[in-house]
Amino acid sequence: MDVEEILDELGRKGEEPPVMALRAAWQNFDGVRERLMMVLGVAAEDPWILSESEVWQLNYGFFILAAKRHKPALAPLLGFLSWAEADAFEIVGDFLSEDAAEVIVALACGDGDAVADATLRQSLQWYVLDALHRALGIMTLRGEWPRASYLAHMDRMLRDHLLDHSAAPLPAWSAFAELAAWTHLPELATQLADLYRTRRIDPDFVTEEELAKIFRDPQAPAKFLARHPEIVDPADRVARWGASWEGVGEKTPVRKWLRVGRNDACHCGSGEKYKRCCGETL
């Protein structure tokens, strides 16, 4: 496939992801890089002016840029995720809740400071904050960012109550506390307990007992990393979802994943949340 054919396929709405075009884009990255970066740059400035074709290219472009560890894409990605005039979820759907952390890690190339700085922006959506913090946890557990820096950042978030300034503090704090447990930061246990006492954590998201259980699990960090594999082949990464797509409005597609959500009831019938049941072993 030549460059124009690749971009045409990446910009076309379909029931199945364009596996051949994704692999061709990965192999001919120099040919598609400029276009993907242009679309991402527009998304960082004003995503609502993107055409429908460009929105599809943006969705697939995240994985292509991540697979190539193209660090120049980090700044516009962070700009897009924190764009103040729109809910980014309306543009890219479940990318934010399922893949954003791994994409951020790949594009950061170990620059945890840039990611940490992005968490300090005002009025971020809670799932954007969760993706940013998960990215920091992943980088730390992989040895790409110093644990001391990660601990200092998480401690600052708690000490200064910075998540109170997010768009939705309750889920933001809840996800933050759970992440601290999965990445084993026992130094923060007392401060996390205070979050329950001040009702900053939603017990329906994670109870204090569940948090303590994760802290006691020596395999928790390994399980966390297993749920966040590196993005190596963009086609394999996209195809693994078995995703179908459904348009919303005139321009903005939203993914309708066939995979169960992290906080949904597990499909095995156990009655547990998916993330605490079959999802733990993935």
Side-chain angles (χ1 to χ4, degrees):
M1 302 174 72
D2 63 29
V3 171
E4 289 305 316
E5 289 173 330
I6 294 170
L7 293 172
D8 182 62
E9 284 295 312
L10 294 179
R12 192 177 294 174
K13 178 180 179 179
E15 291 300 318
E16 299 292 335
V19 172
M20 289 184 61
L22 283 163
R23 291 205 169 120
W26 187 82
Q27 293 167 354
N28 190 6
F29 182 65
D30 288 341
V32 301
R33 176 181 55 201
E34 183 177 354
R35 173 66 178 181
L36 297 180
M37 287 295 293
M38 183 276 290
V39 172
L40 181 54
V42 173
E45 295 295 327
D46 186 355
W48 293 117
I49 68 174
L50 292 171
S51 68
E52 183 175 345
S53 175
E54 289 170 334
V55 171
W56 290 105
Q57 291 173 352
L58 176 67
N59 275 277
Y60 294 125
F62 289 132
F63 299 97
I64 297 165
L65 294 164
K68 286 295 182 178
R69 304 296 189 268
H70 191 59
K71 189 175 181 180
L74 178 65
L77 172 62
L78 296 178
F80 166 66
L81 293 178
S82 59
W83 203 68
E85 300 303 321
D87 182 345
F89 184 86
E90 296 181 43
I91 309 295
V92 295
D94 277 349
F95 158 76
L96 284 171
S97 60
E98 301 293 353
D99 297 291
E102 292 93 319
V103 170
I104 293 167
V105 170
L107 297 179
C109 300
D111 189 359
D113 291 343
V115 179
D117 287 344
T119 69
L120 303 179
R121 299 174 185 178
Q122 296 287 312
S123 301
L124 291 178
Q125 297 292 336
W126 77 268
Y127 45 79
V128 172
L129 280 163
D130 182 41
L132 293 168
H133 281 129
R134 277 189 289 136
L136 292 174
I138 294 166
M139 283 191 283
T140 299
L141 293 178
R142 289 181 184 170
E144 298 174 10
W145 200 46
R147 186 182 186 278
S149 298
Y150 178 53
L151 177 60
H153 171 78
M154 300 287 274
D155 178 69
R156 179 187 177 188
M157 301 299 288
L158 284 163
R159 187 179 65 252
D160 296 339
H161 297 159
L162 294 179
L163 295 185
D164 287 348
H165 304 298
S166 70
L170 189 63
W173 280 118
S174 302
F176 178 92
E178 187 177 42
L179 173 67
W182 281 111
T183 54
H184 270 195
L185 296 177
E187 299 94 331
L188 305 181
T190 300
Q191 291 165 277
L192 294 173
D194 288 339
L195 294 180
Y196 282 99
R197 283 191 283 275
T198 55
R199 298 186 178 180
R200 283 186 168 89
I201 296 179
D202 181 359
D204 288 336
F205 190 102
V206 58
T207 67
E208 197 165 1
E209 293 73 21
E210 288 172 329
L211 207 66
K213 181 180 178 181
I214 298 171
F215 266 121
R216 291 194 300 269
D217 182 0
Q219 297 302 314
K223 292 176 181 177
F224 176 78
L225 283 180
R227 291 201 302 271
H228 296 86
E230 292 187 58
I231 298 174
V232 178
D233 183 332
D236 285 347
R237 185 55 176 252
V238 173
R240 76 186 176 96
W241 295 107
S244 61
W245 301 69
E246 179 179 312
V248 174
E250 294 183 0
K251 294 183 179 180
T252 56
V254 174
R255 296 189 210 192
K256 296 291 185 180
W257 299 120
L258 301 182
R259 177 184 170 180
V260 66
R262 293 176 66 243
N263 289 303
D264 292 342
C266 191
H267 49 69
C268 74
S270 67
E272 295 287 334
K273 293 179 182 179
Y274 174 73
K275 65 184 179 182
R276 301 195 204 291
C277 190
C278 295
E280 281 195 353
T281 62
L282 295 180

